[in-house]
């Protein structure tokens, strides 16, 4: 029986069980998993080729968006097996994808492999970015101003104004697309994109500008990989650099 079919069947069967029983099952497997494997961030590997996340900071929306992407696109994302809330804690159980985080393999990357990863990302993300946004969405609004030195103000405002005056579609966006959330195999084939808790409908350039937001991703390998995968947003990247630089809080 293929694992994909097994996980889908398991997710249906679990819905027939009381939540308290499901919780008991997952906590037993969680305790077993902690004895076998180290935690990976806020996720814990458990027997059966699965991962579990749980706690007060986990949201049902993460499971819902992961399931939406998995069922509406060919993207390599985990199958959501169970997702529920008991008291103040939310529980998310997903299938385990093959591969290792790209961030673990950085020292081995060559320029040729960077190009290959860019091509794969471009192809993989295309169906996600092609989805039509639901009607009636409210656009995000940034609050607060920028503290710009007088001698740079004209250049900064001109760049930001030009970037934000361009028409942009709303795209379903991972919103934390870094090498820590991209899995690859030994042949540098992308095997998964994980951790969709921050996903949302955002301007089409946001996947790139947010994906290269962290200081260690603003230059170097990942910046080159993602910029090549999502070309055409150099002006938006420049504008976001100014916003990052001159805002006290970046949102």
């Amino acid at each position: 029986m293929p694992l994909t079919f097994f996980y889908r069947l398991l997710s249906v069967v679990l819905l027939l069980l009381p939540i308290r029983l499901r919780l008991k099952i997952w906590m037993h497997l969680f305790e077993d998993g902690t004895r076998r494997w180290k935690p990976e961030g806020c996720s814990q590997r458990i027997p059966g080729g699965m991962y579990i996340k749980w706690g007060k900071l986990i949201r049902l929306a993460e499971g819902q968006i992961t399931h939406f992407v998995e069922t509406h696109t060919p993207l390599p994302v985990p199958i959501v097996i169970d997702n529920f809330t008991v008291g103040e804690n939310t529980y998310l159980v997903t299938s385990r994808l093959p591969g290792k985080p790209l961030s673990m393999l950085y020292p081995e990357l060559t320029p040729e492999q960077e190009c290959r990863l860019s091509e794969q990302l471009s192809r993989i993300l295309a169906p996600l970015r092609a989805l039509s946004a639901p009607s009636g969405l409210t656009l995000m609004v940034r609050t607060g101003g920028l503290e710009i030195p007088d001698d740079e103000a004209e250049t900064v405002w001109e760049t930001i104004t030009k970037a934000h005056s361009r028409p942009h579609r709303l795209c379903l966006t991972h919103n934390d697309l870094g090498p820590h959330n991209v899995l690859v195999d030994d042949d540098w084939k992308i095997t998964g994109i994980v951790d969709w808790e921050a996903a949302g409908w955002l301007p089409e350039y946001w996947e790139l500008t947010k994906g290269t937001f962290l200081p260690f991703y603003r230059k170097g390998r990942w910046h080159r990989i993602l910029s090549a995968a999502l070309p055409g947003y150099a002006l938006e990247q420049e504008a976001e650099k100014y916003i990052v630089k001159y805002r006290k809080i970046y949102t």
Side-chain angles (χ1 to χ4, degrees):
M1 180 187 298
L3 280 178
T4 298
F5 178 78
F6 169 75
Y7 292 135
R8 295 192 194 284
L9 179 61
L10 178 59
S11 68
V12 173
V13 171
L14 285 167
L15 292 177
L16 303 176
L17 302 179
I19 284 182
R20 293 289 178 180
L21 178 56
R22 287 150 61 186
L23 177 59
K24 188 174 182 180
I25 292 170
W26 296 127
M27 287 298 94
H28 173 75
L29 290 173
F30 173 79
E31 292 174 5
D32 193 5
T34 58
R35 291 191 290 268
R36 299 190 190 191
W37 301 286
K38 295 180 180 180
E40 300 179 26
C42 59
S43 299
Q44 175 63 54
R45 184 177 175 181
I46 60 176
M50 297 177 286
Y51 275 99
I52 184 170
K53 284 182 173 182
W54 66 279
K56 295 179 180 179
L57 299 180
I58 306 302
R59 300 180 302 152
L60 284 173
E62 178 178 357
Q64 292 164 352
I65 189 63
T66 303
H67 178 70
F68 179 86
V69 173
E70 193 265 326
T71 54
H72 287 76
T73 75
L75 269 70
V77 301
I79 295 172
V80 175
I81 298 167
D82 210 355
N83 191 30
F84 59 90
T85 297
V86 175
E88 296 183 343
N89 293 317
T90 295
Y91 300 81
L92 173 60
V93 182
T94 65
S95 62
R96 178 175 178 267
L97 298 178
K100 298 178 181 179
L102 177 60
S103 55
M104 293 177 59
L105 305 173
Y106 252 22
E108 304 173 26
L109 272 176
T110 66
E112 292 74 19
Q113 289 159 344
E114 286 184 16
C115 290
R116 184 181 175 192
L117 288 167
S118 294
E119 292 169 358
Q120 290 181 75
L121 274 175
S122 179
R123 183 174 65 254
I124 288 170
L125 293 175
L128 182 73
R129 295 170 60 78
L131 293 173
S132 298
S135 60
L137 290 181
T138 301
L139 295 177
M140 65 177 185
V141 177
R142 285 170 164 166
T143 58
L146 304 180
E147 297 181 355
I148 309 171
D150 291 340
D151 61 338
E152 296 185 49
E154 183 177 353
T155 299
V156 170
W157 282 119
E158 182 179 357
T159 301
I160 293 173
T161 300
K162 283 183 178 179
H164 292 177
S165 295
R166 295 173 62 177
H168 295 109
R169 296 181 300 110
L170 289 180
C171 292
L172 187 52
T173 303
H174 182 282
N175 203 26
D176 188 21
L177 189 60
H180 54 295
N181 285 329
V182 176
L183 306 180
V184 297
D185 64 15
D186 293 338
D187 295 320
W188 300 99
K189 179 182 178 181
I190 294 176
T191 58
I193 297 178
V194 298
D195 290 343
W196 290 80
E197 66 267 23
W201 295 94
L202 295 159
E204 61 188 272
Y205 62 84
W206 194 258
E207 195 78 273
L208 173 61
T209 57
K210 184 63 184 297
T212 54
F213 158 65
L214 294 174
F216 39 89
Y217 295 155
R218 291 177 193 169
K219 297 180 180 180
R221 293 184 176 95
W222 183 247
H223 190 277
R224 292 193 296 270
I225 290 169
L226 198 56
S227 295
L230 300 171
Y233 302 111
L235 182 61
E236 288 81 355
Q237 279 183 299
E238 189 67 22
E240 290 299 318
K241 286 179 183 178
Y242 283 134
I243 293 171
V244 170
K245 183 176 181 180
Y246 294 119
R247 279 178 65 95
K248 291 183 178 180
I249 299 176
Y250 180 78
T251 57

